[in-house]
Amino acid sequence: EVAKVTAPMDGIVAHVNDQLGDQPDLVNGSPYEKGWVFTIEPTNLRKNLKGLYYGQEARNYINEEREKLVSMANEDLRVAADGGVSAEDISQELEGKNWAKFIKTFLKT
């Protein structure tokens, strides 16, 4: 699946990780080292930094997003609460309307 991503930063894409074309699993296995997607050369850094979440505010946001994801998975994917096997990549389980809803909810596009 393909999805557009909205970044919290205005800027120009300076570098793209070409390794992901051959090894897309790096995103999950090494997101901060080998699995980065792109780097941005900021064009409005001061303004953008004011809009970012920090500290407890960031933790609250992540917890809210996690709860939305769990709720969506239970509702749309009919995930059992019996300790069944979880999906390695939820995007593999989503199709059509569910994929579009996931993208709109979490990637803000």
Side-chain angles (χ1 to χ4, degrees):
E1 299 284 342
V2 174
K4 293 181 181 180
V5 177
T6 300
M9 190 75 51
D10 295 324
I12 299 166
V13 174
H15 299 94
V16 175
N17 187 353
D18 294 326
Q19 282 186 304
L20 295 181
D22 296 328
Q23 298 175 294
D25 291 340
L26 288 174
V27 170
N28 294 326
S30 182
Y32 298 107
E33 294 174 13
K34 296 180 182 179
W36 58 274
V37 179
F38 56 85
T39 61
I40 297 175
E41 184 70 37
T43 56
N44 204 352
L45 185 59
R46 188 177 307 263
K47 176 185 172 202
N48 291 148
L49 288 176
K50 290 179 183 177
L52 296 179
Y53 296 138
Y54 298 95
Q56 188 60 45
E57 187 177 27
R59 287 187 285 279
N60 291 344
Y61 173 78
I62 289 170
N63 286 334
E64 290 168 9
E65 292 297 288
R66 181 180 48 81
E67 289 299 320
K68 279 195 265 184
L69 179 58
V70 168
S71 175
M72 182 182 289
N74 287 329
E75 177 184 316
D76 293 347
L77 301 178
R78 311 281 190 256
V79 174
D82 65 357
V85 179
S86 62
E88 178 70 25
D89 180 356
I90 194 169
S91 69
Q92 295 173 354
E93 306 297 323
L94 298 171
E95 296 176 353
K97 290 190 312 183
N98 289 341
W99 176 250
K101 181 179 176 183
F102 176 81
I103 296 302
K104 185 175 182 179
T105 302
F106 297 104
L107 300 180
K108 313 295 187 210
T109 61

